Amino acid sequence: MARRMVKRPFISVIVLAHDAERHVLRTLESVLDQDFDDVQLVVCDCASHDRTAAICRRCAEREIRLDVIELEDTDRSLAFDRALGVARGRYVLVLGQNDWLAPRALEHLHALLTEHDLELAILALSVDEDSGNGELSSHRLSFDVVPTRTKDEFRDQAPLFLADGIFNALKGKVLDRDRADALGLRMQLCGNEVAYLAAYLEDIERVGVAGQAVCHVAQQEMLDRFNMAAYACCERNHERYLQLISTWRRDRDEALLAAVHRLHLRGIISCIEGVCSSREISAIERNARVRDMIEAPSTRASVAVLGDTSREFGFIYGSIVRKNVTACCLSARLSILARISHLPFAARTGVCLIAPSYVACGKSLPKRSLK
């Protein structure tokens, strides 16, 4: 693919797309219609079967700031590395294929990054959810923190981000391109987004939250069947976070440990709900899988850190504490039903970023799970 721009832009925005014809144009226009012009947009189409690639090519014909890559593979790790190779900005922002930037988001980002010379910026997220009456409602996820200047300042603030799964995905993050290159980071070598971000965060100092730069995040659909890769990914991510805080020499930091184990329990509950919603496994197999998850040493360690009671997880937490498989399955079904019915007592296990999905695993994706 020929490069049509010579000047290094301030920021490159990367979008990985697969079968995204319904929303990809909105995503592209939200970047290209910003008042801030010093931007390059890189879209990598991952073997789409619909009109996604054609829409991107047509947009690129009239927009010099847009570069389009087309792959015959759905491997997101490969796609990200290819897109990063084309990106030329000093900073790199990653968006999901159904997400879009609020007006002036890049302008606010430029001001924050320039003033504080940040190595990482985190956008505020506006997560869209079905309100139950055919309309979408949004809830805002942001953090009122002062940009950090040292390693210790960032590590003191890290529990805020870890507990909500902010580092479970690259979307909504702005990376310093030169820093990523100096670290030799490649998604295919790291394995998934959590491992990539953990490596990026090991010695980081200057981190800030762009509270006025909003990224609208489309709610992810739940997988219609449980896949053991999701649980395995949840466990790998948990292990990588524990390694990270060990590298930071924060093994005895109670707030940091609680945040990591809280995130882990959310992932375990999500996996349990996945098992209980699956129609492809027998009751015997379902109970065996739930038992394996709630009796796993990592789960027991998380329970030990968080204590016997924790209201944020709903009824299912007590069942996990007691290792009661039957009660876990019942609580999971009730929680799923409550969310479908939009009942007020439905337990929330976190925003869409924390789900141990194929996206977090960095695997080649089946068509349905890319939505």
Side-chain angles (χ1 to χ4, degrees):
M1 180 181 63
R3 293 187 176 182
R4 299 173 297 173
M5 299 174 62
V6 177
K7 177 180 176 292
R8 187 182 194 187
F10 180 79
I11 191 166
S12 293
V13 179
I14 290 177
V15 177
L16 310 183
H18 173 83
D19 289 355
E21 64 178 3
R22 290 182 56 194
H23 302 296
V24 70
L25 186 59
R26 177 184 64 183
T27 302
L28 304 186
E29 290 179 344
S30 76
V31 176
L32 297 173
D33 290 347
Q34 296 276 317
D35 291 336
F36 185 79
D37 293 327
D38 198 6
V39 58
Q40 173 199 21
L41 176 58
V42 181
V43 181
C44 185
D45 178 75
C46 305
S48 293
H49 298 96
D50 61 6
R51 297 174 53 252
T52 300
I55 292 171
C56 294
R57 286 197 301 269
R58 188 164 61 249
C59 187
E61 290 174 358
R62 61 177 185 272
E63 178 53 71
I64 195 172
R65 295 173 296 168
L66 172 58
D67 289 302
V68 179
I69 306 168
E70 296 182 43
L71 298 182
E72 297 181 358
D73 197 318
T74 57
D75 188 330
R76 290 178 62 88
S77 295
L78 171 64
F80 178 79
D81 288 342
R82 287 286 300 276
L84 189 62
V86 172
R88 301 183 310 280
R90 176 184 173 188
Y91 292 97
V92 175
L93 165 64
V94 182
L95 293 182
Q97 64 181 26
N98 296 336
D99 307 337
W100 70 99
L101 293 178
R104 301 188 64 190
L106 294 183
E107 182 180 339
H108 292 306
L109 270 177
H110 177 266
L112 179 71
L113 291 165
T114 302
E115 179 179 358
H116 298 283
D117 189 25
L118 296 181
E119 298 168 297
L120 173 69
I122 302 169
L123 274 68
L125 301 179
S126 177
V127 184
D128 295 331
E129 297 181 311
D130 187 348
S131 60
N133 56 6
E135 298 180 355
L136 291 178
S137 61
S138 299
H139 67 271
R140 183 83 169 265
L141 183 63
S142 187
F143 303 90
D144 185 17
V145 296
V146 176
T148 63
R149 296 168 296 177
T150 67
K151 295 176 184 178
D152 284 336
E153 284 184 3
F154 167 67
R155 294 167 188 178
D156 288 340
Q157 300 289 351
L160 296 173
F161 307 116
L162 288 171
D164 279 314
I166 295 300
F167 296 134
N168 268 22
L170 276 168
K171 66 163 59 181
K173 313 297 184 304
V174 182
L175 309 179
D176 184 315
R177 173 59 187 276
D178 292 338
R179 173 180 171 79
D181 287 345
L183 293 171
L185 294 181
R186 295 294 181 271
M187 189 69 72
Q188 288 183 292
L189 296 177
C190 291
N192 68 11
E193 296 183 24
V194 169
Y196 187 97
L197 277 170
Y200 189 83
L201 294 172
E202 283 190 359
D203 293 312
I204 204 165
E205 297 179 342
R206 302 183 302 279
V207 179
V209 175
Q212 293 180 297
V214 179
C215 174
H216 293 271
V217 178
Q219 184 185 33
Q220 290 181 349
E221 294 184 359
M222 291 185 63
L223 296 179
D224 59 353
R225 67 180 186 274
F226 175 70
N227 189 292
M228 287 303 293
Y231 174 61
C233 181
C234 177
E235 293 299 281
R236 286 197 302 272
N237 290 347
H238 180 57
E239 182 179 356
R240 186 63 183 89
Y241 282 131
L242 291 176
Q243 291 174 355
L244 179 62
I245 64 176
S246 178
T247 300
W248 289 347
R249 298 182 180 180
R250 294 286 185 110
D251 306 80
R252 298 185 179 182
D253 186 321
E254 293 183 1
L256 198 53
L257 281 171
V260 170
H261 286 286
R262 186 175 294 114
L263 177 63
H264 181 233
L265 255 297
R266 289 178 177 177
I268 295 299
I269 292 171
S270 179
C271 288
I272 292 173
E273 291 181 352
V275 171
C276 294
S277 64
S278 175
R279 299 179 180 179
E280 299 183 358
I281 59 177
S282 66
I284 294 176
E285 184 180 1
R286 178 193 64 225
N287 289 346
R289 289 182 174 181
V290 172
R291 180 177 293 105
D292 288 343
M293 286 189 280
I294 65 177
E295 293 184 355
S298 59
T299 302
R300 305 325 302 172
S302 292
V303 168
V305 170
L306 298 177
D308 292 339
T309 59
S310 186
R311 294 181 179 180
E312 67 182 287
F313 300 114
F315 298 119
I316 194 172
Y317 185 74
S319 302
I320 294 174
V321 171
R322 296 188 300 273
K323 303 182 185 179
N324 190 324
V325 174
T326 302
C328 271
C329 294
L330 178 59
S331 297
R333 290 196 190 97
L334 289 175
S335 181
I336 294 168
L337 178 62
R339 284 203 298 275
I340 293 174
S341 304
H342 302 279
L343 298 177
F345 57 84
R348 292 183 57 83
T349 56
V351 296
C352 61
L353 297 181
I354 71 153
S357 62
Y358 285 98
V359 174
C361 297
K363 302 291 184 181
S364 296
L365 306 174
K367 180 177 179 181
R368 180 175 176 81
S369 64
L370 276 151
K371 294 180 181 179

